[in-house]
Amino acid sequence: MIQIGPNLFVLVLLLLAVAMVFAGVKTVPQGYQFTVERFRRYTTTLQPGLNLIVPFIDRIGHKVNVMEQVLDVPTQEVITKDNATVSVDCVAFFQVFDAARASYEVARLDMAILALTMTNIRTVMGAMDLDQLLSHRDEINERLLRVVDAAASPWGIKITRIEIKDIVPPQDLVRAMGRQMKAEREKRAIILEAEGQRQSEILKAEGQKQGQILQAEGRREAAFRDAEARERLAEADAKATQMLSAAVATGDPAALNYYIAEKYVKAFETMGAAPNQKVVLMPYEGTALLSSLAGIGEIARSAFGGPGAAPPPPAVRRPTGPAAMPPREG
């Protein structure tokens, strides 16, 4: 009969103890959670760090990544509300917050999230027009996130973001949109040019209006000044007439002679300065004008020369009657 030595028994116990340690001590890395199953039934969840389980009875069920993960949604065709077909490409970000539910509530979590996202993309984007689809990406992202997150919450996950990467319409729609954009820009350019011309015409009319107003104000001011000048001239004439009347009343004829001579000279000056008068027919003799000038000089000498001034020479007058004509020879 073979006898087992004590050393072999100790070695078996040591190996069994090492196996129990390896089976009962589990280390969970950061960013992961392990589910524990006892007889194929979930019992608990191991957190990151060193954990102890019952050896040979408990075992690790699923190793769940609880970090935020990205899921690339493949390109798919979507028919919009106005029957335009576009190609849509997007990505989804999710994070597991309950490892047990993510492990036992759904099979193949990634495929479930992918299918849920693709179906909701068709639902959300199919209810929008092409123009809304191209210009409201933030609204699409928000609606997709709200719908998909509500549908995936029983699985113990949180959909953090859904981003539309690209929306590609067909080439014929792209060309049509290019023509539409060009026509719209040309329309805006024509409208802006017409608006500029209208503003220019308005400014020109305003300028002409202001110019006419200023001209009218200038003419009114000139009329006021002319009236004032005429009024002052009339006052001066009235005062001169009054002084002349006073001088005549006192028996001084020099002032009257001066006044008459001045009017006489001004009358000839006006006649000579008229543009339509080239030849002046004078019914008087030149000596009459010289006599008047001599009278004016006499008045000036009497006014400025004092009482001792010499009297002016008598004016020479030629007879104008028939007796002054020389006799004709027979």
Side-chain angles (χ1 to χ4, degrees), residues 58-79:
D58 294 340
R59 73 181 187 90
I60 302 299
H62 294 84
K63 298 179 180 180
V64 182
N65 185 352
V66 296
M67 295 181 289
E68 187 173 6
Q69 305 174 61
V70 57
L71 185 62
D72 191 5
V73 180
T75 303
Q76 57 180 329
E77 301 290 333
V78 177
I79 300 176

Side-chain angles (χ1 to χ4, degrees), residues 14 66 68 75 94 103-104 111 116 126 131 135 144 172 178 182 185 197 229 232 244 246 256 259 272 280 282 288:
L14 182 61
V66 296
E68 187 173 6
T75 303
F94 69 95
S103 301
Y104 302 107
M111 292 298 298
L116 185 63
D131 293 338
S135 59
L144 283 174
D172 55 348
K182 182 179 179 181
R185 290 184 182 275
Q197 291 180 357
R232 291 186 179 181
L244 181 62
L256 181 60
Y259 184 75
V280 180
M282 300 176 58

Side-chain angles (χ1 to χ4, degrees), residues 180-247:
Q180 179 182 1
M181 182 181 64
K182 182 179 179 181
E184 185 68 23
R185 290 184 182 275
E186 291 178 352
K187 174 184 174 182
R188 292 181 182 178
I190 293 174
I191 292 175
L192 290 176
E193 184 178 359
E195 186 68 21
Q197 291 180 357
R198 187 174 76 89
Q199 288 295 116
S200 176
E201 294 296 333
I202 290 175
L203 292 178
K204 287 181 181 179
E206 288 290 337
Q208 292 177 358
K209 176 183 176 182
Q210 293 295 330
Q212 292 176 359
I213 291 174
L214 293 177
Q215 290 178 1
E217 291 180 354
R219 289 194 298 269
R220 184 181 66 175
E221 185 68 20
F224 288 161
R225 296 298 177 90
D226 291 340
E228 185 179 1
R230 287 194 297 270
E231 182 180 358
R232 291 186 179 181
L233 182 60
E235 291 178 356
D237 289 341
K239 187 174 181 181
T241 304
Q242 184 180 1
M243 294 177 63
L244 181 62
S245 300

